[in-house]
Every structure is written in structure tokens, then in C-alpha cells.
């Protein structure tokens, strides 16, 4: 809990505050112009959806370093060019994490994925048109992922 003073001077002694790890998400475009996505199920959604690369930043790790690490771990790809799409607070009144979003361009396979995620991830490649359609038809069901994809597509226009 935090102690919060409102603009009118009132004090809330026990304002609920949630602390979670900061994270990154990456929209990765391959050298042939395809986008790396996953078919997967997340526990809170409990139905199939499309996802993008993501993970927590480790203590002392920069968001960009975390993004490069997660791209390699989850997909076996490295990217030539990294574009910062912004850092966003998940819930400004209750804390939570900071999410930093990236567009990785020129991604090429350099090895096999080594991620030890608990959920099953099936790596797929989508065309830009397929990715746009997935976004507008609700196939990307996590807000941060949808935002990352929307910002990446806008950046690429």
C-alpha cells in the first residue's frame, strides 16, 4: 500500500499498489518481410491466440538488452535494426510494470529457440496483411501485444 494525498488534500492511507516486473515486447520482422508470431494459449485468456516475443527484464538489464535476449531465446532469431516504440505504465493508478515495446527489423535465424516457457509456443510467420488482419479481428488478445503490433505497423507505413 502507498500513502496518497489527493489534490483536495485528503489522504488515503492504504492506496492499493501492485509491483510486478518490468517487461518488453518485440514485433519482429524477418529479412524477407514476414512477422514472427506465436500460436499459443495464456492462462488468463484460456483460448488460442496469436502472440509476439516478450518477457521480463532482469535486474540491471536494459529493456533493449532484454528484448534482444528474448528474441533469441524464444525464436532463435537476431535482428539488425531495433526501433523503440515507447515505454508505457500498465496501470498508472495502481503501479504494475513498465512495458517497453520494440520493432526489430531484419531478423534472421541464427539458432534454435532455447526458451523454457511453461506454455506451448508454436512459431509462425505472417505477412503484413495477415498481421494487420489478426490485429483487427481480435486474434491478438493481450493489450500490450496489440499496442506493440499497432505501433509497429504504423511505424512501417
Amino acid at each position: 500500500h502507498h500513502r496518497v494525498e489527493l489534490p483536495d488534500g485528503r489522504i488515503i492511507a492504504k492506496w492499493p499498489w501492485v509491483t510486478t516486473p518490468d517487461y518488453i515486447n518485440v514485433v519482429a520482422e524477418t529479412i524477407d518481410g514476414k512477422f514472427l508470431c506465436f500460436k499459443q494459449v495464456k492462462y488468463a485468456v484460456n483460448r488460442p491466440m496469436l502472440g509476439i516475443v516478450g518477457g521480463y527484464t532482469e535486474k540491471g538489464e536494459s529493456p533493449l538488452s532484454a528484448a534482444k535476449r528474448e528474441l533469441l531465446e524464444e525464436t532463435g532469431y537476431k535482428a539488425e535494426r531495433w526501433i523503440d516504440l515507447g515505454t508505457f505504465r500498465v496501470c498508472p493508478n495502481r503501479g504494475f510494470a513498465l512495458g517497453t515495446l520494440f520493432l526489430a527489423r531484419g531478423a534472421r535465424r541464427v539458432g534454435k529457440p532455447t526458451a523454457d516457457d511453461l506454455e506451448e509456443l508454436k512459431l509462425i510467420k505472417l505477412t503484413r496483411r495477415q498481421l494487420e488482419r489478426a490485429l483487427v479481428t481480435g486474434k491478438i488478445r493481450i493489450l500490450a501485444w496489440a499496442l506493440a503490433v499497432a505501433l509497429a505497423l504504423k511505424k512501417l507505413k
Side-chain angles (χ1 to χ4, degrees), residues 35 128 131-132 135 148-157:
F35 294 88
R128 180 186 177 123
L131 185 61
E132 289 171 345
L135 178 64
V149 169
L151 289 172
L153 290 171
K154 183 159 179 60
K155 183 65 84 174
L156 291 170
K157 282 192 175 180

Side-chain angles (χ1 to χ4, degrees), residues 38 53-54 58 66-78 109-119 121 123:
F38 298 105
V53 170
E58 295 176 358
K68 290 178 178 183
R69 175 180 52 75
E70 289 288 348
L71 178 64
L72 182 60
E73 288 176 2
E74 292 185 1
T75 68
Y77 281 71
K78 285 188 176 182
R109 179 171 229 129
V110 297
K112 292 185 176 186
T114 59
D116 59 356
D117 289 337
L118 298 176
E119 57 264 335
L121 303 174
L123 184 63

Side-chain angles (χ1 to χ4, degrees), residues 1-13:
H1 289 95
H2 281 189
R3 184 177 186 275
V4 175
E5 183 176 351
L6 300 177
D8 65 6
R10 288 182 293 155
I11 302 291
I12 300 175

Side-chain angles (χ1 to χ4, degrees), residues 5 32 39-40 45 47 49-50 65 68 76 84 89 96 98 102 118 122-124 139 144-145 154-155:
E5 183 176 351
D32 62 349
K39 286 186 177 180
Q40 66 185 110
V45 177
R47 63 183 196 210
M49 65 180 160
L50 290 179
S65 293
K68 290 178 178 183
D84 187 331
R89 174 70 66 188
F96 290 85
L98 286 174
F102 293 95
L118 298 176
K122 181 180 179 193
L123 184 63
I124 61 170
K139 299 280 192 280
W145 298 351
K154 183 159 179 60
K155 183 65 84 174

